[in-house]
Amino acid sequence: MEIVTIKDVEADKSSGVIMKTLFDENIIKDGRTKFGTVVIPPGVRVPQEGAGSHGADEYSIVLKGSIVTMSGGKEYRVTGGQATFIPAGEAHWCLNDGKEDCEIVWVLVNR
């Protein structure tokens, strides 16, 4: 078992969000899963322009706040207590249009 304390993990703040990768291929030996958290402040869009995609399926749980997101050409609102699934390769973006941070736990799983 590996145990990580979230507050002790160094954050990547380069994109205006607070992204923490808790487990990745360096810890999970098969390199097939990446797991972390992200805090998206009010007014921040990820990515800043256009849409992004991953070579892995993305599962997310919104713990707090809400975001507007586009995935697969459709727009959605996702709020605290909801979970999402985005298939590998599907273009998506999100925007925190609220007044509080949006806190998300995410997992990328390669098939």
Side-chain angles (χ1 to χ4, degrees):
M1 174 185 284
E2 299 277 346
I3 298 174
V4 174
T5 302
I6 295 171
K7 70 178 182 173
D8 294 339
V9 175
E10 188 172 330
D12 175 358
K13 300 178 183 177
S14 61
S15 63
V17 301
I18 301 170
M19 177 77 70
K20 294 185 177 189
T21 299
L22 305 177
F23 296 101
D24 66 17
E25 58 275 0
N26 295 325
I27 296 172
I28 298 174
K29 305 300 185 238
D30 64 9
R32 295 176 53 112
T33 304
K34 199 170 194 178
F35 172 73
T37 65
V38 64
V39 177
I40 305 171
V44 173
R45 185 183 189 279
V46 180
Q48 290 179 349
E49 296 179 3
S53 65
H54 312 285
D57 291 333
E58 179 180 330
Y59 299 86
S60 297
I61 299 172
V62 176
L63 301 176
K64 175 184 163 190
S66 70
I67 54 172
V68 172
T69 184
M70 187 283 302
S71 185
K74 295 174 86 175
E75 196 168 291
Y76 303 89
R77 170 154 313 272
V78 186
T79 62
Q82 293 184 311
T84 64
F85 168 71
I86 301 171
E90 186 166 284
H92 59 284
W93 56 262
C94 69
L95 167 67
N96 181 347
D97 64 345
K99 295 182 181 185
E100 68 176 327
D101 288 346
C102 183
E103 298 178 8
I104 299 171
V105 174
W106 54 266
V107 180
L108 297 177
V109 180
N110 287 316
R111 294 180 190 194

